[in-house]
Amino acid sequence: MHSLKEITKPIKSELEAFNEFYKQSLKSKVSLVDLITNYILKQKGKKIRPLLVLLSAKLCGEISERTYRGAVLVELLHSATLIHDDVVDNADKRRGFPSINAVWKNKVAVLMGDYLLSRGLMISVDGKDFDFLSTITNTVKRMSEGELLQIQKTRKLDIDEETYFQVINAKTASLIETCCEIGARSVTDDPDKISAMKKYGENLGLSFQIRDDVLDYEGTTKLFGKPIGGDIKEKKITLPLIHAFKNVSKDEVTRIKKLIKNGGKSDDIKTIISFVQKNGGIEYSEKMALELAQKAKKSLIIFQESPEKKSLQNLVEFVVERTN
Amino acid sequence: MHSLKEITKPIKSELEAFNEFYKQSLKSKVSLVDLITNYILKQKGKKIRPLLVLLSAKLCGEISERTYRGAVLVELLHSATLIHDDVVDNADKRRGFPSINAVWKNKVAVLMGDYLLSRGLMISVDGKDFDFLSTITNTVKRMSEGELLQIQKTRKLDIDEETYFQVINAKTASLIETCCEIGARSVTDDPDKISAMKKYGENLGLSFQIRDDVLDYEGTTKLFGKPIGGDIKEKKITLPLIHAFKNVSKDEVTRIKKLIKNGGKSDDIKTIISFVQKNGGIEYSEKMALELAQKAKKSLIIFQESPEKKSLQNLVEFVVERTN
């Protein structure tokens, strides 16, 4: 398995330059804002999104000021989203630290999210990166619509494979795709390169989300993130279950749905997990994740071999092979 | 006192056209989104912000497609903000209807806010109104920073008149100013006209917020909005109190601050209100609100007389004379 350290190697110095630029972009005259941004900076996330922007840019041309602005834009959007998510989910931890809402209360957390998002948009406006703005606002729309579609379907426990792909495309793959698109656009106008990077990002994102959904059904404890069966408890029907339903009678589907509706008691969750495992849900989903991962790697075929290309390929494997 | 109906008269048909455009802009393929937007549309807010955009545009030139896009942008931003506010404040009512979070839960409300904001930004991106984007993202940044500054000061019960004006400028006046600026920019490049409309908006916004803060201290029950003394309960120190502190000894200030810190029991709130009334806080604040209102009206001096100009003048009086 590839490590993130190995993957980031070809853009090590650029990632450092990004970190500096990111830090600068967070500065504010309001001391409470500075206090909170310093708290955020201390946490050092994985920075997968800026990493994608930088690698995509280096693969397509020469990393520029515009690339850094794009990387800061996606990271600020991502941070804003996480902070707002923690408010909505009433989460009191994030990356091992108490969440912003836990330390400073909900109001401050929501305002900080708005502040970070507007900072990101302003950097693009100031840099006249109007193509980035077009891409990113469309992404925010798709992400929120995708989540709302999932909630709508979830409440009726009624979702087929086609809708599942529509949902994960909108809520997860779209931002990953946007990172790769912004990276490419920051250095080239070549439509073939841009389109290749978008396809890479989309398939990487889909593969990532399916892997995430499979992890919810796997018998080992997850190191980080939600506990096993978390999705079932939230009444989220994902690919493993959707596929398992295809292989059984209507009565069996009704019986399992009833268990989910009942609120997912510990015993019921065990029953549902073994139902999914027995009826090929895991196997099928893993096959799908692998196929999409192959697709992602294949879309890089138009590029010559390079350390950046190798890293993007390794990142795909990193995502599909991860166990947490 | 002027009525909103009288004020909107010069742009009655344009306001109808706006409403139609606004409705269209909310359409989504996700049925849950449509369900919620229809719910929002049923509530019919006062639409003060689009009103300002349309009146400012008509005063400066000829209302265009660009004007409507600007009006939709500010209204979508405003709606998104209200929905997020209700989540943060755990409010279960809005304009007499159950709030979005009360009906569909917090997660849906936050996502709907994000959706509305991104729709607004997309309309500007698609219309290539990059000047609007620059203005509005800067406004969102100022608003969130302003609120955070207020919270920072509030927690220490330490705010002087200068900081108070900084806060209300950022959190309230900036969006009103932006509405007038966008209206003007949508029809003219004339820097004098744009600058006059910005000044009008800024002073109208300041006057509005001071009036709002005074209403918190006035002895009559407010028809709508927060109950009397709500700000004190939230430990928000506003102009009436800041001024009253200036007229008394240090010990007296300490005594009153102690009452506020104690959480604002009903009797203490009565004491604080009469302290403010006795020490000239209301009188001074009302004088300030009136002065700013005069300033707002004066900034329209460069325009010829017209029904639009009259309406903008009347709107100032409407805001300063309101009793709820």
Side-chain angles (χ1 to χ4, degrees):
Chain A
M1 172 124 165
H2 308 281
S3 71
L4 261 186
K5 200 176 163 195
E6 177 197 343
I7 291 168
T8 53
K9 216 173 166 192
I11 48 153
K12 200 168 171 287
S13 66
E14 288 92 340
L15 211 50
E16 276 162 24
F18 159 80
N19 279 326
E20 194 44 44
F21 186 15
Y22 184 60
K23 216 167 105 181
Q24 290 304 324
S25 74
L26 291 172
K27 287 224 163 116
S28 164
K29 277 180 226 154
V30 178
S31 60
L32 177 60
V33 174
D34 272 342
L35 186 69
I36 301 174
T37 53
N38 282 329
Y39 184 77
I40 296 171
L41 285 167
K42 262 199 325 201
Q43 301 178 21
K44 298 198 206 307
K46 284 198 223 81
K47 304 262 169 65
I48 297 279
R49 286 152 197 84
L51 176 67
L52 278 169
V53 174
L54 294 171
L55 283 173
S56 302
K58 200 157 184 179
L59 185 62
C60 293
E62 212 165 306
I63 286 181
S64 65
E65 281 287 313
R66 226 166 100 73
T67 310
Y68 289 114
R69 289 199 301 268
V72 168
L73 173 64
V74 297
E75 187 63 10
L76 283 171
L77 170 65
H78 180 60
S79 296
T81 310
L82 294 185
I83 294 172
H84 283 179
D85 281 355
D86 285 346
V87 172
V88 171
D89 298 338
N90 243 320
D92 52 10
K93 290 261 176 186
R94 164 71 62 187
R95 291 171 186 155
F97 287 77
S99 62
I100 311 271
N101 45 304
V103 182
W104 287 278
K105 306 266 181 294
N106 281 352
K107 181 137 197 162
V108 170
V110 168
L111 290 167
M112 268 311 289
D114 294 347
Y115 172 78
L116 296 179
L117 179 60
S118 60
R119 282 298 296 134
L121 295 174
M122 273 178 72
I123 288 167
S124 297
V125 169
D126 290 346
K128 302 202 186 310
D129 305 316
F130 299 122
D131 51 342
F132 292 180
L133 284 172
S134 172
T135 307
I136 208 94
T137 52
N138 195 25
T139 305
V140 174
K141 173 178 167 279
R142 277 176 69 194
M143 285 167 71
S144 48
E145 270 187 323
E147 294 248 25
L148 286 162
L149 178 62
Q150 183 169 47
I151 291 171
Q152 173 191 324
K153 293 292 177 180
T154 301
R155 291 191 176 169
K156 292 182 188 161
L157 292 188
D158 163 37
I159 180 165
D160 57 18
E161 191 166 324
E162 197 192 328
T163 313
Y164 169 79
F165 274 99
Q166 213 179 321
V167 165
I168 67 169
N169 206 314
K171 77 163 201 176
T172 309
S174 65
L175 184 56
I176 307 289
E177 181 187 326
T178 295
C179 293
C180 300
E181 179 179 354
I182 283 180
R185 276 191 196 282
S186 73
V187 298
T188 184
D189 289 329
D190 185 335
D192 291 340
K193 288 185 178 174
I194 294 170
S195 156
M197 289 319 301
K198 284 182 67 170
K199 276 206 188 104
Y200 168 84
E202 184 189 358
N203 288 310
L204 174 69
L206 293 173
S207 182
F208 171 88
Q209 187 59 57
I210 294 174
R211 182 72 197 130
D212 212 56
D213 293 340
V214 166
L215 283 171
D216 203 63
Y217 283 95
E218 287 200 329
T220 51
T221 319
K222 285 162 86 176
L223 256 179
F224 298 105
K226 296 170 297 179
I228 300 288
D231 286 345
I232 309 171
K233 259 196 189 136
E234 286 180 39
K235 302 188 176 53
K236 259 187 212 162
I237 298 189
T238 59
L239 190 57
L241 190 53
I242 292 170
H243 186 77
F245 279 160
K246 276 192 193 162
N247 290 334
V248 299
S249 69
K250 251 188 161 174
D251 286 355
E252 188 71 350
V253 171
T254 311
R255 186 179 72 88
I256 295 291
K257 282 194 179 174
K258 227 176 234 162
L259 296 182
I260 299 172
K261 260 187 212 149
N262 279 344
K265 275 161 260 156
S266 180
D267 273 359
D268 291 349
I269 287 183
K270 273 186 204 152
T271 308
I272 296 167
I273 290 178
S274 78
F275 165 81
V276 166
Q277 288 169 336
K278 226 171 27 205
N279 288 291
I282 306 284
E283 211 179 320
Y284 177 78
S285 304
E286 279 181 341
K287 209 187 85 206
M288 289 296 271
L290 213 61
E291 271 178 34
L292 289 160
Q294 296 299 343
K295 255 196 190 171
K297 284 203 262 181
K298 256 192 206 148
S299 63
L300 301 178
I301 207 163
I302 63 162
F303 299 100
Q304 287 187 326
E305 296 310 312
S306 70
E308 300 78 65
K309 182 169 167 177
K310 191 80 206 135
S311 273
L312 286 165
Q313 288 168 330
N314 291 345
L315 184 62
V316 173
E317 286 168 20
F318 175 78
V319 159
V320 184
E321 287 164 14
R322 72 203 168 92
T323 51
N324 63 61
Chain B
M1 171 126 164
H2 306 282
S3 70
L4 262 187
K5 200 177 161 192
E6 178 197 342
I7 291 167
T8 53
K9 217 173 165 192
I11 48 151
K12 199 169 171 285
S13 65
E14 287 92 341
L15 211 49
E16 277 162 24
F18 159 80
N19 279 325
E20 193 45 43
F21 186 15
Y22 185 60
K23 216 167 103 181
Q24 290 304 324
S25 74
L26 292 172
K27 288 224 162 116
S28 163
K29 276 180 225 155
V30 178
S31 60
L32 178 60
V33 174
D34 272 342
L35 185 70
I36 301 174
T37 53
N38 282 328
Y39 184 77
I40 295 170
L41 286 167
K42 262 199 324 203
Q43 302 178 21
K44 296 195 207 311
K46 286 199 222 80
K47 303 260 168 65
I48 298 278
R49 285 152 197 86
L51 177 67
L52 279 169
V53 174
L54 293 172
L55 283 172
S56 302
K58 200 158 185 178
L59 185 62
C60 293
E62 212 165 306
I63 286 181
S64 65
E65 281 286 313
R66 224 165 103 74
T67 311
Y68 289 114
R69 288 198 301 266
V72 168
L73 172 65
V74 297
E75 186 64 10
L76 283 171
L77 170 65
H78 180 61
S79 297
T81 310
L82 293 184
I83 293 173
H84 283 178
D85 282 354
D86 286 345
V87 172
V88 170
D89 299 337
N90 242 321
D92 51 10
K93 290 262 176 185
R94 166 70 62 186
R95 291 171 186 153
F97 286 78
S99 63
I100 311 270
N101 45 304
V103 182
W104 286 278
K105 306 267 180 294
N106 282 352
K107 180 136 199 164
V108 169
V110 168
L111 290 168
M112 267 312 287
D114 294 347
Y115 172 78
L116 296 179
L117 180 61
S118 61
R119 281 300 293 135
L121 295 174
M122 273 178 72
I123 288 167
S124 297
V125 170
D126 290 346
K128 302 203 186 306
D129 305 317
F130 299 123
D131 51 342
F132 292 0
L133 284 173
S134 172
T135 308
I136 209 92
T137 51
N138 195 24
T139 305
V140 174
K141 171 178 169 279
R142 278 177 67 194
M143 286 167 70
S144 48
E145 268 187 324
E147 294 248 24
L148 287 162
L149 178 62
Q150 184 168 47
I151 292 171
Q152 174 191 324
K153 293 291 176 181
T154 301
R155 290 189 177 171
K156 292 181 188 161
L157 292 187
D158 162 37
I159 180 165
D160 57 17
E161 191 166 324
E162 197 192 328
T163 312
Y164 169 79
F165 274 99
Q166 212 180 320
V167 166
I168 68 169
N169 207 313
K171 77 164 200 174
T172 309
S174 65
L175 184 56
I176 307 288
E177 181 187 325
T178 295
C179 293
C180 300
E181 178 179 354
I182 283 179
R185 278 191 195 281
S186 72
V187 297
T188 185
D189 289 328
D190 184 335
D192 292 340
K193 287 185 178 175
I194 293 170
S195 155
M197 289 319 302
K198 283 183 68 170
K199 277 207 187 103
Y200 168 84
E202 184 188 359
N203 288 310
L204 174 69
L206 293 173
S207 183
F208 171 89
Q209 186 59 56
I210 295 174
R211 182 73 197 128
D212 212 56
D213 292 340
V214 167
L215 283 171
D216 203 64
Y217 284 95
E218 286 201 329
T220 51
T221 320
K222 285 163 85 177
L223 256 178
F224 298 105
K226 297 170 296 180
I228 301 288
D231 285 347
I232 310 171
K233 261 198 190 134
E234 287 179 37
K235 303 188 175 54
K236 259 187 213 163
I237 299 190
T238 60
L239 191 57
L241 190 53
I242 291 168
H243 187 78
F245 280 160
K246 277 191 194 163
N247 291 333
V248 298
S249 68
K250 250 189 162 173
D251 286 353
E252 188 72 349
V253 171
T254 311
R255 185 180 71 87
I256 296 291
K257 282 194 179 174
K258 226 176 234 163
L259 296 182
I260 299 173
K261 260 187 211 150
N262 279 342
K265 275 164 258 154
S266 181
D267 273 359
D268 291 348
I269 287 183
K270 272 185 205 153
T271 309
I272 297 167
I273 289 177
S274 77
F275 165 82
V276 167
Q277 287 169 338
K278 226 169 27 202
N279 289 292
I282 306 286
E283 212 178 317
Y284 176 78
S285 304
E286 278 181 342
K287 209 187 84 204
M288 288 296 270
L290 214 60
E291 272 178 32
L292 289 160
Q294 297 298 344
K295 255 197 191 171
K297 284 203 260 181
K298 256 191 205 149
S299 62
L300 300 179
I301 207 162
I302 63 161
F303 298 101
Q304 287 190 325
E305 297 309 311
S306 69
E308 299 79 64
K309 182 170 168 178
K310 192 81 205 132
S311 273
L312 286 165
Q313 289 168 329
N314 290 345
L315 184 61
V316 173
E317 287 169 20
F318 175 79
V319 159
V320 184
E321 288 164 13
R322 73 202 169 92
T323 51
N324 65 60

